[in-house]
């Protein structure tokens, strides 16, 4: 079953006896598990008595079986939610019992297995494949793959409209660049910005003044300042990151990924390919904006310069992880060398460390 089909059935009030929700978008597995529960037990005073929740990592199979078989309290049906059941664990006897449970859910119960942090490896793991097959026969299995940037833009603009304000696609993309593609975080930000905008438009000023900016977005700002040869802005961003207690190793890792984006976009252009064609090759799904930005920013840098930049970053990583050098100093030295290279200069050889 697709998400669209699931949404249609729920809107029409049609419920199956069993659902299995899994995939990369944990926000959506959580959302739809709650939506099924709401449809199953309603908002009556007895709803709390007819909704049972289990942590699949801790609950026994016996407890889940008993809950499914128990009759609802003065209602047509009940709902049993099981979060993070691990089908890959347990022996054949457990697997067989679970399959029997799914195949024989009574009409008085709606059973939902949904994955939050436990990954359902339905493509490679034999036990998960068998579980998925049983789930599809018993009811509905819905996968929620990572949303593309276009999907998320549509979700944010539509969400703003439902909250009584407006959000342009460009500003939705800005939110993604600053927050990343995590739907939980983005929708929490949308709630905050909608309250700020009231019945008006969520503007770029709102997002930049009150919106969250994650480590990745901050370090990509650093990469851009370095590429522009701006010492003052580069050191200001490093100072802010250190003030926020960000780990230098993490900062350097994101900075390296920014330069890897540039190198990939540059080599793709040299081969006559569009940067967007790299989405599936390097897992950019949901982060397509990184390739667009890299394609825009790599023009001023040659392939050989980008290779040398990556060498500088690799050496810095080694220093951070294997020496007692001051980590902030390593970051600042790295930024200085990258700025020199971005300006078309040669890498300094005097001194020690990166500036040897």
């Amino acid at each position: 079953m697709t998400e669209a089909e699931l949404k249609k059935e729920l809107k029409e009030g049609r419920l199956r006896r069993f659902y299995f929700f899994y995939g990369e978008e944990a926000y959506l597995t959580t959302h739809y598990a709650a939506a099924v529960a709401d449809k199953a037990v309603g908002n009556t005073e007895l709803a709390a008595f007819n909704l049972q929740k289990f942590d699949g990592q801790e609950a026994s199979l016996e407890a889940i079986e008993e809950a499914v078989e128990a009759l609802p309290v003065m209602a047509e049906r009940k709902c049993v939610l099981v979060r993070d059941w691990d089908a890959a664990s347990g022996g054949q006897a457990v697997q067989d019992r679970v399959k029997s449970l799914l195949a024989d859910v009574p009409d008085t119960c709606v059973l939902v297995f949904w994955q939050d942090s436990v990954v359902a490896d339905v493509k490679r793991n034999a036990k998960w494949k068998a579980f998925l097959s049983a789930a599809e026969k018993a009811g509905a299995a819905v996968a929620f793959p990572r949303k593309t940037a276009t999907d998320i833009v549509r979700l944010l603009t539509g969400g703003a409209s439902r909250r009584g304000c407006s959000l342009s696609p460009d500003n939705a993309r800005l939110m993604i660049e600053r927050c990343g593609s995590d739907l939980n975080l983005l929708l929490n930000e949308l709630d905050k910005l909608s309250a700020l905008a009231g019945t008006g438009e969520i503007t770029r000023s709102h997002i930049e003044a009150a919106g969250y900016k994650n480590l990745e977005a901050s370090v990509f700002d650093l990469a851009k300042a370095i590429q522009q040869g701006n010492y003052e802005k580069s050191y200001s961003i490093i100072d802010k990151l250190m003030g926020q207690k960000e780990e230098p190793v993490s900062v350097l890792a994101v900075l390296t990924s920014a330069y890897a984006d540039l190198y990939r976009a540059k080599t793709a252009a040299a081969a006559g390919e569009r940067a967007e064609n790299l989405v599936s090759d390097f897992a950019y799904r949901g982060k397509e904006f990184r390739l667009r930005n890299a394609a825009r920013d790599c023009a001023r840098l040659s392939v050989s310069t980008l290779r040398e930049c990556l060498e500088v970053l690799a050496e810095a990583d080694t220093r951070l992880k294997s020496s007692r050098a001051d980590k902030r100093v390593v970051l600042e030295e790295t930024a200085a060398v990258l700025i020199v290279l971005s300006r078309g200069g040669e890498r300094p050889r005097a001194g020690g460390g990166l500036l040897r």
Side-chain angles (χ1 to χ4, degrees), residues 21-29 115-116 118-120 123 142-147 181-183 283 285:
F21 300 144
Y22 67 102
E24 296 173 288
E25 291 291 3
Y27 169 82
L28 292 176
T29 62
Q115 304 308 106
D116 181 16
V118 172
V119 176
K123 292 185 177 180
V142 187
F144 296 96
R146 181 73 65 194
K147 294 285 188 182
S181 57
D182 182 89
L183 292 183
R285 187 176 177 85

Side-chain angles (χ1 to χ4, degrees), residues 32 77 82 168 233 247-248 258 269 273 282 306 309 328-329 350:
Y32 282 107
R77 62 195 167 206
V82 182
S168 71
K233 186 173 182 180
E247 284 293 327
E273 294 284 341
F282 295 99
L306 286 169
C309 288
R328 175 171 181 152
V329 171

